[in-house]
Amino acid sequence: MGSNSLTLAPAPRSAAAEEVRAEVREFLAAELAAGTFTTHVDTWLSGVDPAFSCKLGERGWLGMTWPKRYGGHERTAMERYAVTEELLAAGAPVAAHWIADRQSGPNLLRYGTEAQRTEILPRIAAGECYFVIGMSEPDSGSDLASIRTRATRNGDGDWVVNGAKVWTSNAHTSHYAITLVRTSPADPANRHAGLSQLLVDLSLPGITVNPIRILDGGHHFNEVVFDDVVVPGEMLLGEEGAGWHQVTAELAFERSGPERFLSTYPLIAEFARRAADPAQLAALGRISARLLALRQLSLRIAGALDRGELPDIPAALVKDVGTTFEADVIDEVRRAVDVPASLDSPDPLGRALAEAQLHAPGYTLRGGTNEILRGIVARGLGLR
Amino acid sequence: MSDVDLVVETVRDILTKHEPFVLSTERPWDAGLWSALAEAGLTGVGLPEEAGGSGGELADAVAIVGALAAGAAAVPVAEQLLVAAPAVLAADLDLPAPEEPLSFAVAGAVTAEPRDDGDGPGSWMLTGTATDVAWAGVAQHLAVLATSPVGPVLALVHVAGRQATHAANLAGEPRGSLVLQGVTAPGALLTEAQAEQLRARYALARAVQLSAALQQVLAWTVHHAGEREQFGRPLGKFQAIQMELAEMAGEVTAVAALVDAAVQAVERGESLVLACAAAKVRAGAAVEVVARLAHQVHGAIGFTQEHRLHHLTRRCWSWRDEAGTETAWAAVLGAGLLADGPDALWPALTRVV
Ligand SMILES: Cc1cc2nc3c(=O)[nH]c(=O)nc-3n(C[C@H](O)[C@H](O)[C@H](O)COP(=O)(O)OP(=O)(O)OC[C@H]3O[C@@H](n4cnc5c(N)ncnc54)[C@H](O)[C@@H]3O)c2cc1C
């Protein structure tokens, strides 16, 4: 079936994936025992730990599918799937490198110049170089094509960028922003034209990163303001004017992974320690059945990526079903136990519930809201 | 075209001549459809030719059951091909002719007493009543999972002509009771594990039916939304309707992925109880969403027996409860995943399918 149909072929079983899974599991057990990290909910957003990212890089678990000449390891998407899934299930601190490894690197690989690739990809694969997504703006969320951040060429052929990005996760701990900018005036007849992606070094003069606190008080969001920022001409990513097409491809990577249903897995794991009576075991069973179905869907996407497909419609579907599940887990657990949610709870289950709840509104918003995703699925159903 | 596609094509072809109808006490099943399927050898698919079957793989049998479920076919094919016949063969009992409908019942209230040495295939005397028997009064043979002082027993009872009490599921499919007091039947002692696997396969059979039926309900609903116009536009052009259809598609796709994976686990001969349990729970959970939204999108016409929708929604509402309810299987799944302790939950999850 084509990549735009809703269903994908079942994923092939991968012995290599199971092998690397076992290695990651062993590594994580040792790290947990050594106390280098503690398990938390939603750590791919909030668990920034560069030292941990470097350890993963050393072991070859970043940039896994990329060519060796760019520091990659030429492994399959199925193997990468196993690695990311293990890290998420353990609630390991993977936020520093997550975006770079998941989507910025693949984006560079597809559209970057040779210089951009050789300069940046090996550092991402080493766990040293982090990226942010510079898409959303104060007045442009779901309607991404309406962005107003502008880049114009100056006399030297460099780009001068003005505007502001917002909700930029971990801009304060990252090195580059792949920034969607308008490079020619908006054309009401073709809203998707005139957009481009720039590879912006976040240390450039004229960039201000202002923190925005999320519900639990954590600092992940930022406003990134560009005030006459001069970006070297060669930092255009891909083609001028092809930004919309490139962003769409990037979103397929952004939307398809196991982080779209495992953000609250650490809460499930904590609940499992408590589940004893038949009602609790049934709650665990219901949660697990949904999780197992999502795994199959996500594995199918990894299989499709290995076949060279870019399954954007199935990815939208998995993300809709997966993020709905992430939030439902909280309710299912709450109703099965008698434990109030509090970050200060002496009970680890109370703390996990609190972390999961305070992050919950984000699950079904980030990376495209579920309403937008369902619109994409509706297109897959032939309705629009 | 693969073998599986070919088999499905044949079933669909036969189904065009056998429209679903409202089941009643007078007409509790589609005998004509059954004959047509049997004539085409489709009631023996997945069963070895040496045993009187038509050969083929489990995948073929699953495809047949799916196609028939999507067609709301009132025939005991799921019970025969996916549960009872494989169980009878595994227990080394003689398989009845595939054209004679064979059903399956988990009958905790039926006890079996050995009439000979009691181990291996032998003769058993049954006592008690099997309740909730799928196709009671229709099936000519019944594979009964009974209890005995020495463990679970699978007995193969010839039930043709035996009076069944009238009871039906929400779709009118016969689910009556059969009194098996004093019946002698061939049977075999099973281990507890074998009995559990048999119950799990029954659950998987219902999950296969649910998955196919839910896919069909989605397809019908998308079709309806494209045809029916209000306010000068097809319903499917309204964003509210698109959201509902997309939500249905998410459920249907998730169910299909897990059910397929569970079938494959069974094909690989892996320990299958948790995979089947998960498939049954997931498929059952989707019924609420898919049936509710399908009826919502269809409007009043879908709330009548004049429209085809009820043939599948009423079946789905029952199938989710049959062969073990979602709650029962969810508890089995939860407990099974914790078998090695709570810290091994994740490894257990990655092993299920
Ligand atoms: C945790 C988190 C991390 C994020 N990280 C980043 C990041 O690193 N970089 C980045 O660029 N962005 C990031 N975002 C922003 C994210 O992409 C946006 O939140 C998202 O695209 C929605 O935009 P919005 O918040 O402006 O909501 P809006 O677009 O204003 O939407 C508000 C509501 O209206 C609905 N709506 C909007 N349009 C339609 C429509 N046409 N039909 C039906 N309903 C509609 C939406 O579904 C939503 O329910 C992040 C967001 C979150 C929550």
Side-chain angles (χ1 to χ4, degrees):
Chain A
M1 275 187 230
S3 59
N4 273 0
S5 95
L6 286 179
T7 35
L8 297 165
R13 311 218 1 128
S14 164
E18 293 317 301
E19 217 166 282
V20 70
R21 178 191 296 291
E23 291 164 21
V24 177
R25 219 172 254 178
E26 200 178 315
F27 162 79
L28 287 168
E31 294 291 310
L32 269 173
T36 48
F37 77 90
T38 48
T39 297
H40 289 282
V41 165
D42 201 18
T43 43
W44 66 273
L45 182 78
S46 57
V48 175
D49 182 345
F52 190 82
S53 294
C54 286
K55 281 187 192 172
L56 298 181
E58 276 163 28
R59 281 164 180 77
W61 294 334
L62 300 180
M64 285 181 73
T65 60
W66 311 345
K68 290 195 172 145
R69 65 180 185 284
Y70 302 126
H73 304 282
E74 303 186 359
R75 301 178 82 161
T76 60
M78 297 294 286
E79 289 169 272
R80 178 175 184 275
Y81 178 91
V83 171
T84 52
E85 182 178 65
E86 290 297 316
L87 292 167
L88 293 163
V94 292
H97 67 266
W98 196 263
I99 305 294
D101 175 62
R102 174 182 72 187
Q103 69 192 83
S104 316
N107 200 359
L108 280 174
L109 209 51
R110 272 173 97 87
Y111 301 112
T113 62
E114 190 56 25
Q116 289 167 349
R117 294 182 195 171
T118 41
E119 158 70 17
I120 295 172
L121 290 177
R123 290 167 54 211
I124 297 180
E128 292 164 2
C129 180
Y130 313 134
F131 271 67
V132 299
I133 303 165
M135 296 189 195
S136 305
E137 297 184 3
D139 290 330
S140 303
S142 300
D143 183 11
L144 188 56
S146 71
I147 56 147
R148 291 204 293 252
T149 297
R150 260 180 327 117
T152 46
R153 290 260 193 199
N154 66 13
D156 305 328
D158 294 331
W159 299 97
V160 180
V161 182
N162 280 288
K165 294 292 173 181
V166 77
W167 323 131
T168 327
S169 296
N170 299 323
H172 56 302
T173 57
S174 299
H175 306 99
Y176 288 96
I178 294 187
T179 311
L180 186 68
V181 294
R182 190 150 269 302
T183 43
S184 28
D187 172 3
N190 184 1
R191 303 183 68 236
H192 298 159
L195 299 170
S196 304
Q197 286 190 311
L198 290 182
L199 208 53
V200 179
D201 181 338
L202 285 166
S203 66
L204 287 175
I207 295 180
T208 322
V209 176
N210 301 314
I212 302 172
R213 302 265 155 202
I214 60 167
L215 300 190
D216 66 358
H219 175 195
H220 315 292
F221 272 171
N222 297 280
E223 179 197 35
V224 181
V225 182
F226 300 85
D227 186 9
D228 280 333
V229 178
V230 179
V231 176
E234 69 267 19
M235 294 308 256
L236 176 71
L237 177 60
E239 240 179 277
E240 183 177 342
W244 185 259
H245 175 74
Q246 292 173 207
V247 152
T248 313
E250 190 180 329
L251 287 172
F253 287 104
E254 177 168 354
R255 286 174 179 160
S256 58
E259 70 271 35
R260 299 309 184 175
F261 60 93
L262 290 177
S263 302
T264 51
Y265 182 79
L267 168 61
I268 302 173
E270 203 51 59
F271 171 53
R273 301 204 168 89
R274 215 58 59 84
D277 68 40
Q280 290 169 330
L281 291 173
L284 180 65
R286 279 192 300 271
I287 290 170
S288 300
R290 288 176 71 180
L291 189 151
L292 288 167
L294 282 157
R295 270 193 91 229
Q296 289 306 313
L297 290 176
S298 200
L299 279 163
R300 287 177 176 210
I301 289 190
L305 291 174
D306 277 334
R307 294 193 298 271
E309 297 168 17
L310 207 58
D312 51 343
I313 292 177
L317 181 142
V318 180
K319 183 171 176 297
D320 173 33
V321 180
T323 56
T324 303
F325 165 74
E326 290 181 326
D328 286 353
V329 165
I330 303 167
D331 235 39
E332 187 81 73
V333 172
R334 277 190 67 242
R335 279 185 272 121
V337 296
D338 190 10
V339 177
S342 163
L343 293 174
D344 300 321
S345 175
D347 183 339
L349 185 54
R351 294 198 295 279
L353 276 167
E355 289 180 4
Q357 186 61 72
L358 290 170
H359 276 217
Y363 307 149
T364 49
L365 291 172
R366 56 186 174 193
T369 70
N370 286 32
E371 288 76 13
I372 295 301
L373 297 172
R374 286 180 189 181
I376 295 172
V377 173
R379 182 146 43 77
L381 289 170
L383 296 165
R384 32 190 302 192
Chain B
M1 208 186 271
S2 74
D3 287 355
V4 171
D5 292 338
L6 209 68
V7 162
V8 169
E9 191 92 335
T10 316
V11 173
R12 289 201 182 133
D13 212 43
I14 292 173
L15 279 175
T16 55
K17 286 165 223 121
H18 300 270
E19 289 282 312
F21 52 88
V22 174
L23 301 178
S24 61
T25 18
E26 294 72 44
R27 221 182 148 200
W29 75 310
D30 195 338
L33 172 60
W34 176 269
S35 305
L37 293 168
E39 246 163 61
L42 293 166
T43 57
V45 171
L47 308 172
E49 289 173 25
E50 322 68 277
S54 317
E57 305 297 319
L58 175 65
D60 303 310
V62 165
I64 291 171
V65 168
L68 289 170
V75 285
V77 172
E79 290 79 1
Q80 174 157 321
L81 291 191
L82 299 187
V83 195
V88 164
L89 289 173
D92 250 338
L93 303 173
D94 288 335
L95 189 67
E99 56 274 15
E100 297 175 7
L102 163 66
S103 189
F104 177 71
V106 176
V110 173
T111 51
E113 287 285 339
R115 297 195 62 230
D116 44 27
D117 63 10
D119 61 27
S123 179
W124 300 78
M125 162 84 82
L126 304 182
T127 313
T129 301
T131 54
D132 269 327
V133 179
W135 308 103
V138 166
Q140 298 187 25
H141 306 273
L142 188 66
V144 186
L145 186 59
T147 54
S148 86
V150 275
V153 168
L154 184 77
L156 179 59
V157 188
H158 187 240
V159 290
R162 200 165 268 281
Q163 195 61 39
T165 61
H166 173 72
N169 71 9
L170 297 175
E173 292 180 327
R175 298 293 186 260
S177 305
L178 283 165
V179 180
L180 300 176
Q181 198 66 30
V183 172
T184 322
L189 197 56
L190 305 185
T191 64
E192 285 296 344
Q194 286 168 329
E196 180 77 340
Q197 289 186 8
L198 187 48
R199 284 190 290 266
R201 277 189 76 125
Y202 193 19
L204 181 64
R206 284 288 182 270
V208 165
Q209 292 178 290
L210 282 167
S211 178
L214 293 172
Q215 288 179 56
Q216 186 63 64
V217 167
L218 171 65
W220 282 347
T221 310
V222 169
H223 181 82
H224 180 78
E227 295 236 300
R228 166 83 172 166
E229 293 197 2
Q230 286 294 283
F231 300 97
R233 298 194 271 167
L235 299 177
K237 293 289 166 203
F238 295 104
Q239 201 191 34
I241 300 292
Q242 291 177 358
M243 298 293 110
E244 294 182 339
L245 292 169
E247 189 179 351
M248 291 171 70
E251 289 297 294
V252 165
T253 312
V255 168
L258 186 55
V259 170
D260 288 355
V263 169
Q264 285 174 5
V266 172
E267 277 174 333
R268 288 192 303 268
E270 287 170 9
S271 77
L272 54 85
V273 172
L274 298 189
C276 297
K280 180 65 167 41
V281 172
R282 185 64 188 90
V287 170
E288 192 282 322
V289 179
V290 176
R292 171 170 50 82
L293 294 177
H295 276 288
Q296 189 67 16
V297 173
H298 274 83
I301 187 68
F303 188 51
T304 68
Q305 293 194 343
E306 280 162 34
H307 190 278
R308 61 188 174 182
L309 181 61
H310 75 96
H311 287 304
L312 289 183
T313 52
R314 289 195 293 146
R315 278 176 169 80
C316 288
W317 285 323
S318 276
W319 289 345
R320 65 177 170 182
D321 288 338
E322 294 175 1
T325 61
E326 266 158 85
T327 305
W329 281 115
V332 169
L333 179 58
L337 288 167
L338 295 181
D340 295 335
D343 288 337
L345 173 65
W346 178 252
L349 280 166
T350 56
R351 267 196 314 266
V352 173
V353 281

